[in-house]
Amino acid sequence: MEKIYDLIIVGAGAAGLSAAIYGARANLSTAVIDSKNIFGGQMLNTPEIDNYPGLPSMSGFELSEKFYSHASKYNVDFFEEKAEKLRCEKDIKSIICKSGSILKGKTVIIASGGVHRKLGVPGEERLLGKGVGYCASCDGALFREKEVFVAGGGDTAFVYAIYLSRICSRVHLIHRRDKFRAAESYVARLRNMKNADIITNEIIKSINGNEKVESITVMSGSAEKEYPADGIFIAIGVEPDKSLYEEILDTDPAGFIIAKEDCKTSVEGIFAAGDVRSKYFRQISTAVGDGACAAHSAELYLER
Ligand code: NAP
């Protein structure tokens, strides 16, 4: 007979793995789907996490492993599948995967995080993997003793630049204005790095090179400038991949799912947790909190 889970969680980042721990501990038959065979979501992109309580100075990889091994202690089925569509028929929700398989559940938690926002400039797509990257901890080692740029002014850009300054000969963080979203502690740390500098009020217009990145062109006021570069990491935030749910759930204008602290979406039995939820503060700690709340809401829904 076809298995119908109590709870299906889409996404195995901080929110999804937290939801899995809470769901399984509440005795819900629980499945987690993620398109990658390595779990941790955006955490995996972060070279150093310094603000997760109790576990300072962890790499994102180490913290992901801890979350995953904790969730694996419980009776959770993990699937390496790309969830493409969410359907809702009466009380049963179906997740249709790219492979053609379908998972069914009484409740669903969407914890699918976000995808890297693109600059949308010439050269960005063409030179992807040839000097253009979005994950410093994945690709930073390829730029040993090279000169790189990091685009963005949030925590990710600063964490990337601090990490890369230990590997590269020179790192330039380039931001479109002179105010940063990043925590002041990260800004101060980067300012203290001898081989790093911060360029403000410059807007990247193109990434140039034939076989690989050779330079970037920027606008500084009304003047155009070109900087030589071996690589550029783009760290300008995340956007939700809304294709899974946009047909059935209410979202904000940017496509994040509207749900309050109880993580209930506009459809009964479907919950949203972590970065995919329209929210005020996107952190590992807030994603973990969402995962717990969403699993608890799913439990209450099933009890009813
Ligand atoms: P973010 O906080 O949304 O910052 C994105 C940055 O990119 C902003 O400075 C923004 O500029 C800039 N930007 C956006 N679109 C741009 C464009 N088209 N062209 C040029 N610049 C653009 O994103 P994030 O840094 O990835 O962080 C996401 C969340 O994860 C945040 O809540 C962050 O605190 C959290 N995080 C935490 C840590 C940590 O504490 N260890 C590490 C990484 C991420 P404007 O400021 O001008 O809008």
Side-chain angles (χ1 to χ4, degrees), residues 45-273:
N45 298 338
T46 310
E48 188 185 312
I49 294 162
D50 221 4
N51 57 1
Y52 191 71
L55 297 170
S57 302
M58 281 247 143
S59 75
F61 185 79
E62 284 174 297
L63 193 57
S64 303
E65 274 198 329
K66 282 193 181 295
F67 278 36
Y68 175 62
S69 68
H70 189 170
S72 305
K73 270 178 48 184
Y74 303 105
N75 192 15
V76 177
D77 292 342
F78 287 94
F79 295 91
E80 186 191 336
E81 291 273 9
K82 166 100 176 88
E84 282 198 326
K85 280 283 167 241
L86 171 60
R87 301 254 181 271
C88 199
E89 289 138 27
K90 293 191 185 147
D91 286 343
I92 300 301
K93 282 92 190 158
S94 304
I95 306 283
I96 296 118
C97 300
K98 193 174 180 190
S99 66
S101 55
I102 299 175
L103 262 80
K104 296 200 170 187
K106 294 175 194 161
T107 64
V108 169
I109 295 175
I110 302 174
S112 51
V115 290
H116 300 293
R117 187 176 288 137
K118 309 283 185 303
L119 278 172
V121 298
E124 182 179 17
E125 212 176 304
R126 183 174 58 81
L127 294 167
L128 178 64
K130 297 172 184 162
V132 174
Y134 296 87
C135 171
S137 51
C138 317
D139 303 330
L142 304 171
F143 295 89
R144 195 163 296 282
E145 296 307 319
K146 301 263 164 88
E147 181 161 4
V148 299
F149 282 74
V150 177
D155 283 331
T156 304
F158 277 85
V159 169
Y160 279 12
I162 292 164
Y163 172 74
L164 291 166
S165 71
R166 296 187 205 119
I167 299 173
C168 305
S169 57
R170 184 98 218 145
V171 178
H172 312 272
L173 182 138
I174 183 162
H175 181 38
R176 63 184 175 184
R177 58 191 183 115
D178 61 1
K179 297 273 183 301
F180 304 112
R181 290 175 196 263
E184 187 45 44
S185 58
Y186 287 137
V187 179
R189 266 174 74 185
L190 189 66
R191 286 196 199 283
N192 279 332
M193 299 282 185
K194 286 201 170 57
N195 61 340
D197 56 273
I198 299 174
I199 301 167
T200 53
N201 295 319
E202 295 195 0
I203 294 168
I204 298 170
K205 287 311 216 191
S206 66
I207 303 170
N208 319 308
N210 290 320
E211 295 302 308
K212 60 181 192 58
V213 170
E214 289 163 21
S215 68
I216 63 169
T217 303
V218 304
M219 287 306 288
S220 177
S222 55
E224 197 174 276
K225 284 192 204 169
E226 191 169 342
Y227 292 109
D230 296 307
I232 177 164
F233 286 89
I234 297 160
I236 59 167
V238 289
E239 296 172 325
D241 179 0
K242 53 189 186 201
S243 54
L244 175 70
Y245 54 75
E246 65 186 342
E247 285 164 20
I248 61 171
L249 299 184
D250 290 351
T251 66
D252 68 13
F256 293 101
I257 301 170
I258 295 172
K260 295 206 177 96
E261 198 189 345
D262 58 15
C263 296
K264 289 181 187 170
T265 69
S266 50
V267 174
E268 288 246 313
I270 301 179
F271 308 89

